[in-house]
Amino acid sequence: MRLTRFTDVALRVLMRLAVTAKREGQPTTREVAATMQVPYTHAAKVVARLQHLGLVDARRGRGGGLSLTAAGRSASIGGLVRQLEGPGEVVDCEGDSPCPLRSACRLRVALRQAEAAFYASLDPLTVGDLVASPTGPLLIGISATRTAPG
């Protein structure tokens, strides 16, 4: 199973926001994009989707920025990846050129089971779990060096 770039960026944005201390202020989308080394336009699309899902609060203007909601901190990673990736199978057996084995294929069943196991392994994890040590301290260090003036 391979995640889309969009899902990868979304998870990294959530992790970055999970380590933001209240005293630091709220980072902007541009700052988060720089920290996570992703294009601003891509980060902006991700933030808009995360805001729509109720995982991120975004405020404009002076004193604005991004913050992780309580729902964002406790969201199941498996559930989040399912939402971001959308429905679909690992392989497309019915597409433009349907597979001749589709009526009796054991591979398709095995891949469905593997996908279910993949999500099941992510279901108990939350964003908070992902930023436990050593990841959280590393993110804090990266954030400090990338957003520092000068």
Side-chain angles (χ1 to χ4, degrees):
M1 175 112 195
R2 184 180 188 107
L3 299 180
T4 61
R5 179 84 169 134
F6 189 89
T7 299
D8 173 45
V9 171
L11 293 172
R12 290 193 282 152
V13 166
L14 290 171
M15 291 169 66
R16 167 59 179 90
L17 295 177
V19 299
T20 302
K22 298 285 187 202
R23 68 184 181 284
E24 294 174 16
Q26 297 174 332
T28 64
T29 301
R30 194 166 302 282
E31 290 167 345
V32 170
T35 300
M36 297 289 90
Q37 298 181 352
V38 298
Y40 168 75
T41 54
H42 201 62
K45 290 175 188 173
V46 165
V47 165
R49 180 76 190 277
L50 294 174
Q51 186 178 12
H52 177 76
L53 293 173
L55 305 174
V56 170
D57 277 332
R59 297 173 193 249
R60 295 182 181 268
R62 189 177 177 105
L66 305 174
S67 62
L68 191 62
T69 65
R73 185 170 299 280
S74 64
S76 161
I77 298 302
L80 180 58
V81 170
R82 280 183 194 91
Q83 283 185 303
L84 295 173
E85 290 293 312
E89 294 192 47
V90 176
V91 293
D92 184 11
C93 302
E94 305 293 336
D96 294 337
S97 179
C99 177
L101 302 175
R102 70 187 179 282
S103 64
C105 184
R106 296 184 74 194
L107 175 61
R108 188 177 192 179
V109 172
L111 290 172
R112 282 184 185 150
Q113 291 171 340
E115 181 180 31
F118 172 78
Y119 284 123
S121 70
L122 294 175
D123 283 340
L125 295 173
T126 66
V127 174
D129 294 330
L130 296 181
V131 296
S133 188
T135 307
L138 178 63
L139 269 169
I140 292 168
I142 291 170
S143 300
T145 59
R146 295 216 186 265
T147 59

